[in-house]
Amino acid sequence: IRVYKPMTFIQTDKPIYLPGQTVHFRVITLDTKLRPANQLYNIIEIKDAHQNRIGQWLNKMSNGKILQLSYPLHSEANEGIYILSVSVNKTKTLHSFKVDKYVLPRFDVKINAPDEISIIQEEFEAEVCAKYTYRQSVAGSVDLQVCQPLERSDKTCYKETKQADMKGCTTFTIKMTTFKKLDQRLMHSILDLSAKVEEEGTGISFSQEKKIQISFVVGKLSFIDTPKLYDQGSTVEGKIKAVLYNNRPIPDMLVYLHIRNSSFSKLQNLTTDSDGVAAFSFSTADVNGDIRLLASPKLKPEIQSPKTPFYLTEDHTLSMARPSSPETETMSSLEVKRQEKTLPCDSDQDIFIKYTVVGEAQGSVDVMYLVLSRGAIVMQGLKQAEVLDKSVTEGEVSFKLKVSAEIAPVVQVVAYAVLPSETVIANSSDFSTEKCFSHKVSLEFSPSSAVPGEETTMQMTAQPDSLCGVSAVDQSVLIKEPGETLNADKVFDMGMYPQH
């Protein structure tokens, strides 16, 4: 049973503090519709880096608003990670911040590079950018080092130094031949990137690091437009698609189709077309029972050795159609087709339901669907599917789903049907949506940029009776310690997903 409960959030005005500074923090509880709730907080406490309780508040009430509290740190406060905890009955919410005698950085360094690369890539790019806290570009030199650790000894590295361009950025092209000279079985499947930017004229430097995973997946072979059921004696038609690691089609590739049954085994040699697709067909005249299809780039499929390039391959099982009845297991089915992409907010999306009906009388069947979000049914309806006068009927029905903030970030579509034989078939799929909100808030400054000491006007726009909170933090502080800021991901990840 899915139970949705209000969620409590804690937000500090900064992620890091100097000893002697005051910690300002907020506590708010939101219901499943993101509305402030009237909440009694039994205990609110702060513990220092040594787990000593240094601050406590008892039985504080939010009264449907944001509860704002503060705690002045001692000038000799211990450095380290401090914990803020809020207890509501038996549920405790935690938030951490750091106390440190820090020096604010002059500028920020970022590395833009892929999170994963394929072992067959010849090269990849890494961009290093440096910006001052007021967003101006940093002039200086950039040192990049890319290393691949070894299992039993040192590491092999690529090093290069360049001057930053007018935008404060530098692009490096790293050749993978540097890391392919040695036996990959002796090396870790990861690259460590380290970039250091030195400011021109001052010699002040800051560094940034990033890890890139090395994948040994060369490409993928998958079945498309291939049925799951067959009539004995019919001709089965299907297709195999071959793509590279970056999903680019592979034309003119030799693909082996292994067709296996308990009583026979066949092999077909196929070649992909310009779209990376190879069509196949075979007769089932002498077949009885399930058929297993396997697509492989090799004549004889073999167990993959570690740290060697390989293709992801796919199995596909064809089941023989049999008449269904209430006493026997049905071969009929429904499939709510999944979508890999995230559904955009404020859009109408087509949701497709595929049906396969085996051994039923000719006529129409009502395919009913329910759309659930946050533990409630938000939409329902039905579509009619036509059952033809043949042993297997396949088809598809669809309906439009209005994607809005009220159903974010996940909806579940459940489809079911009662066949003429009184057999019930059903299926469900989850769909991710954008993490959007129904109430829009905007913040503007006039003038939009200013020099130190100059006055500026801030204007915040929101719907009437909105509960708003504003924080002003030096950008240098967030460069030093990004912390756990309250954002859309955190709101939805903590508050909108069900607790079982």
Side-chain angles (χ1 to χ4, degrees):
I1 299 175
R2 295 187 173 191
V3 179
Y4 287 73
K5 297 181 180 180
M7 293 299 298
T8 299
F9 299 92
I10 307 171
Q11 183 183 33
T12 53
D13 62 329
K14 296 191 297 183
I16 187 170
Y17 298 87
L18 289 166
Q21 290 185 333
T22 298
V23 179
H24 298 279
F25 64 97
R26 303 166 175 153
V27 183
I28 186 171
T29 299
L30 302 178
D31 63 18
T32 57
K33 293 185 178 180
L34 299 183
R35 299 173 301 193
N38 291 316
Q39 187 63 63
L40 174 66
Y41 304 112
N42 306 110
I43 302 175
I44 301 174
E45 62 182 11
I46 297 181
K47 290 186 178 181
D48 66 10
H50 300 300
Q51 295 298 301
N52 300 312
R53 185 169 59 191
I54 58 175
Q56 178 179 275
W57 297 261
L58 300 176
N59 298 322
K60 287 289 185 178
M61 192 75 183
S62 65
N63 295 319
K65 297 181 179 179
I66 298 174
L67 178 63
Q68 299 191 89
L69 299 170
S70 62
Y71 179 83
L73 294 169
H74 193 274
S75 59
E76 300 297 326
N78 294 321
E79 296 180 45
I81 303 297
Y82 284 52
I83 301 296
L84 257 168
S85 67
V86 175
S87 297
V88 177
N89 298 323
K90 295 182 179 181
T91 303
K92 183 176 287 189
T93 303
L94 304 178
H95 180 83
S96 63
F97 62 88
K98 184 182 290 187
V99 175
D100 187 23
K101 295 177 182 177
Y102 61 86
V103 176
L104 291 177
R106 286 173 56 86
F107 55 85
D108 184 26
V109 177
K110 291 185 177 180
I111 301 176
N112 299 316
D115 295 324
E116 184 179 87
I117 59 174
S118 173
I119 190 64
I120 66 168
Q121 284 184 237
E122 295 298 324
E123 60 187 27
F124 68 94
E125 289 188 347
E127 182 187 51
V128 180
C129 293
K131 301 280 186 181
Y132 290 108
T133 55
Y134 47 88
R135 311 317 299 160
Q136 293 296 315
S137 303
V138 176
S141 61
V142 182
D143 294 331
L144 181 73
Q145 179 173 280
V146 184
C147 297
Q148 185 179 18
L150 291 168
E151 293 281 359
R152 301 186 183 90
S153 57
D154 204 354
K155 52 191 176 183
T156 179
C157 295
Y158 164 88
K159 298 179 182 180
E160 188 176 357
T161 300
K162 287 186 176 182
Q163 288 295 123
D165 60 19
M166 296 295 292
K167 296 181 180 180
C169 296
T170 308
T171 300
F172 297 86
T173 301
I174 297 94
K175 302 290 186 182
M176 286 297 292
T177 52
T178 305
F179 310 103
K180 292 180 180 179
K181 296 176 181 178
L182 300 178
D183 189 343
Q184 289 296 316
R185 291 174 296 179
L186 304 177
M187 309 187 78
H188 290 285
S189 302
I190 201 165
L191 295 178
D192 294 322
L193 275 68
S194 176
K196 184 178 76 171
V197 178
E198 183 176 302
E199 185 183 32
E200 190 177 83
T202 66
I204 296 175
S205 63
F206 288 98
S207 301
Q208 188 63 267
E209 295 180 349
K210 180 182 175 69
K211 291 184 181 296
I212 296 179
Q213 192 72 33
I214 298 176
S215 170
F216 288 87
V217 175
V218 175
K220 181 181 179 181
L221 300 179
S222 58
F223 289 93
I224 62 172
D225 300 333
T226 304
K228 295 182 179 179
L229 296 173
Y230 74 93
D231 281 328
Q232 188 176 25
S234 66
T235 298
V236 173
E237 296 181 347
K239 297 175 183 177
I240 299 171
K241 186 167 185 178
V243 296
L244 286 171
Y245 61 91
N246 55 6
N247 286 326
R248 289 179 56 186
I250 308 176
D252 303 320
M253 177 180 177
L254 181 60
V255 177
Y256 297 95
L257 173 64
H258 300 264
I259 308 169
R260 294 173 179 171
N261 180 264
S262 57
S263 59
F264 77 93
S265 178
K266 296 180 181 179
L267 177 69
Q268 289 188 8
N269 298 347
L270 309 173
T271 303
T272 60
D273 59 18
S274 58
D275 295 322
V277 176
F280 64 87
S281 66
F282 59 90
S283 173
T284 61
D286 301 322
V287 182
N288 186 21
D290 290 350
I291 303 172
R292 180 181 173 230
L293 306 180
L294 173 64
S296 173
K298 296 183 179 181
L299 182 60
K300 293 183 178 180
E302 55 189 35
I303 299 176
Q304 175 59 37
S305 301
K307 294 187 179 180
T308 56
F310 69 97
Y311 282 86
L312 292 173
T313 57
E314 188 176 87
D315 285 4
H316 186 88
T317 300
L318 286 166
S319 299
M320 189 173 69
R322 299 182 180 90
S324 59
S325 68
E327 292 78 24
T328 60
E329 183 181 355
T330 180
M331 299 295 293
S332 303
S333 64
L334 288 179
E335 179 189 0
V336 181
K337 289 192 171 181
R338 300 177 183 273
Q339 292 191 29
E340 297 298 329
K341 66 176 184 178
T342 299
L343 305 182
C345 278
D346 302 321
S347 66
D348 291 322
Q349 296 292 319
D350 289 315
I351 305 298
F352 295 94
I353 304 170
K354 181 181 178 181
Y355 60 87
T356 302
V357 180
V358 181
E360 297 285 344
Q362 183 178 0
S364 62
V365 172
D366 289 337
V367 178
M368 288 155 280
Y369 60 87
L370 302 175
V371 180
L372 299 93
S373 178
R374 307 181 192 176
I377 298 174
V378 296
M379 182 180 177
Q380 57 186 320
L382 66 87
K383 294 288 182 177
Q384 281 197 335
E386 293 298 324
V387 179
L388 304 179
D389 186 18
K390 57 181 185 178
S391 59
V392 180
T393 299
E394 292 183 309
E396 198 171 69
V397 295
S398 67
F399 68 93
K400 287 194 177 293
L401 173 66
K402 176 67 176 179
V403 183
S404 63
E406 283 71 24
I407 66 173
V410 174
V411 293
Q412 183 183 44
V413 177
V414 179
Y416 64 95
V418 181
L419 302 178
S421 64
E422 298 184 357
T423 302
V424 178
I425 54 176
N427 187 246
S428 68
S429 288
D430 291 343
F431 298 83
S432 298
T433 76
E434 286 182 339
K435 296 173 181 177
C436 52
F437 300 94
S438 56
H439 290 188
K440 309 301 180 185
V441 179
S442 64
L443 191 67
E444 295 180 348
F445 289 92
S446 181
S448 57
S449 61
V451 297
E454 183 181 354
E455 288 189 359
T456 184
T457 301
M458 184 187 76
Q459 180 175 338
M460 183 169 61
T461 305
Q463 293 187 8
D465 299 320
S466 295
L467 194 59
C468 301
V470 179
S471 294
V473 184
D474 189 326
Q475 182 69 21
S476 300
V477 173
L478 300 181
I479 294 174
K480 174 68 178 177
E481 185 67 37
E484 297 181 4
T485 56
L486 187 59
N487 53 30
D489 287 340
K490 189 171 182 181
V491 170
F492 281 109
D493 290 347
M494 289 184 61
M496 293 295 100
Y497 285 108
Q499 298 177 352
H500 294 273

